[in-house]
Amino acid sequence: MKIISGTAHPQLAKDIAKEMGLPLCDATVNAFPDGESFVQINESIRGEDVFIVQPTCPPTNHNLMELLVMVDAVRRASASRITAVMPFYGYARQDRKDKPRVPITSKLVANLLTAAGVNRVLTMDLHAAQIQGFFEIPVDHLYSLPVLIKHLREHYVQDINNLVVVSPDIGGVKTAKTYANILGTQLAIVAKQRISATEVDAHALIGDVAGKDVLLVDDMTESGGTLCAAATILKKHGAARIFAGVSHAVLNEKACARLAASPIERLLTSDSVPMACGVEGVDTVSIAPLFAHAIANIHNNSSVTHLFEVGC
């Protein structure tokens, strides 16, 4: 088995390799002055089971192209099987035609990965689970929920009877309900209207949060607009303390400024992308053990189902 890291999130790749007791494969991955990606594998991988760790987070186009180039290099080096380990799957929000004459880019990405030579994909918390169906190759879809729930119970939840789980929009109700069921709490929903790609108007609340601690949950945040708008309306309705938990915190500068000025005390997320690491007010939980177990099981042709269990 060989684990190769791209440049998108080398620390996560190192952590996964360390969990497995393996060194990272010696590979040169960089870019020419004109921006073209260059990859060279510096050791033999002939006949090896190769796992390429590369979340396609911003800069999305560069990281995606780099992944494709890495796959091609590994395929031409005669690896027996290539698994793209993508903790964060870029372009996942472009999963349908919601307007005339627009692409379904998440399907295009699936086609590109397959055409490059990927035999299997390992990912986590897809924005739309149906994206698995865009692939003609196996997709192992992990969930960060067991990891985040464990951290929530140990560090965030002091009085379970005074906690309400809130979905910041209608689309996240299923995820929020899962959190509420596992934690044994009530559920509330914020109704929102998206004004633009970065602006959101939260205008109604379904449920009671007066005097309660609130946990906002979502699959990802980039600009922070949805979470911060929801937090504002929750505060107006009497919420005591407000926390947030997301699978992927693809934070830009605007998001960091919004979170700092919002009523949200802490944001809990995984380290699926490097943007979340080291940001003030953000707690990151390592998913390296989760992916290390999944990679080991895939290599040994074992089930990964037990990794979905809360508290694993």
Side-chain angles (χ1 to χ4, degrees):
M1 185 199 305
K2 296 289 185 181
I3 300 175
I4 303 178
S5 173
T7 62
H9 200 347
Q11 186 58 52
L12 178 59
K14 290 177 184 176
D15 293 343
I16 291 172
K18 184 178 179 181
E19 284 285 334
M20 303 188 72
L22 296 172
L24 284 174
C25 180
D26 184 11
T28 301
V29 184
N30 54 34
F32 289 110
D34 62 358
E36 292 182 359
S37 295
F38 171 75
V39 174
Q40 181 174 9
I41 311 302
N42 300 320
E43 60 183 87
S44 176
I45 57 171
R46 183 178 297 273
E48 296 281 3
D49 192 6
V50 176
F51 295 82
I52 303 174
V53 182
Q54 178 83 336
T56 49
C57 52
T60 306
N61 293 345
H62 173 79
N63 288 335
L64 175 59
M65 190 63 201
E66 182 178 278
L67 173 58
L68 296 173
V69 174
M70 293 174 70
V71 170
D72 189 66
V74 168
R75 180 174 62 83
R76 295 177 187 275
S78 302
S80 64
R81 181 172 66 173
I82 305 170
T83 300
V85 182
M86 305 169 68
F88 176 76
Y89 186 93
Y91 285 110
R93 287 174 290 184
Q94 297 185 41
D95 64 320
R96 64 194 184 280
K97 287 194 67 171
D98 56 350
K99 297 176 183 177
R101 298 174 296 282
V102 297
I104 304 178
T105 317
S106 54
K107 168 60 175 170
L108 173 62
V109 171
N111 292 344
L112 290 170
L113 290 168
T114 305
V118 172
N119 303 115
R120 192 178 201 98
V121 171
L122 175 61
T123 188
M124 183 183 79
D125 288 338
L126 289 168
H127 181 69
Q130 298 89 329
I131 291 173
Q132 296 172 84
F134 291 169
F135 287 88
E136 299 299 327
I137 57 176
V139 177
D140 291 299
H141 186 205
L142 302 179
Y143 299 94
S144 64
L145 186 144
V147 179
L148 297 181
I149 285 285
K150 184 175 185 293
H151 191 87
L152 281 167
R153 284 173 169 163
E154 293 175 354
H155 301 283
Y156 280 59
V157 181
Q158 297 176 345
D159 182 6
I160 199 70
N161 296 318
N162 196 48
L163 181 70
V164 178
V165 173
V166 178
S167 173
D169 55 30
I170 301 298
V173 171
K174 185 176 180 181
T175 300
K177 191 174 188 301
T178 303
Y179 272 83
N181 289 342
I182 293 172
L183 291 170
T185 67
Q186 297 297 311
L187 175 68
I189 306 166
V190 173
K192 75 168 187 183
Q193 180 179 3
R194 181 164 291 280
I195 301 170
S196 69
T198 58
E199 299 294 328
V200 171
D201 175 33
H203 53 79
L205 173 67
I206 304 169
D208 181 21
V209 298
K212 301 281 188 178
D213 291 340
V214 167
L215 174 65
L216 276 164
V217 298
D218 208 351
D219 67 322
M220 69 172 290
T221 185
E222 184 175 10
S223 65
T226 297
L227 288 179
C228 293
T232 299
I233 196 170
L234 289 169
K235 206 66 178 176
K236 289 179 180 177
H237 282 78
R241 305 177 70 193
I242 302 175
F243 303 99
V246 298
S247 304
H248 311 289
V250 193
L251 303 175
N252 53 33
E253 289 186 8
K254 178 176 280 190
C256 294
R258 278 177 168 170
L259 287 169
S262 77
I264 298 173
E265 290 189 24
R266 307 290 299 178
L267 172 67
L268 174 66
T269 186
S270 74
D271 61 347
S272 61
V273 295
M275 297 83 175
C277 303
V279 177
E280 187 176 354
V282 178
D283 299 325
T284 55
V285 181
S286 176
I287 54 171
L290 178 68
F291 274 82
H293 281 127
I295 289 171
N297 286 12
I298 291 169
H299 176 67
N300 295 319
N301 295 316
S302 302
S303 172
V304 299
T305 303
H306 72 281
L307 298 177
F308 303 155
E309 297 171 0
V310 176
C312 64

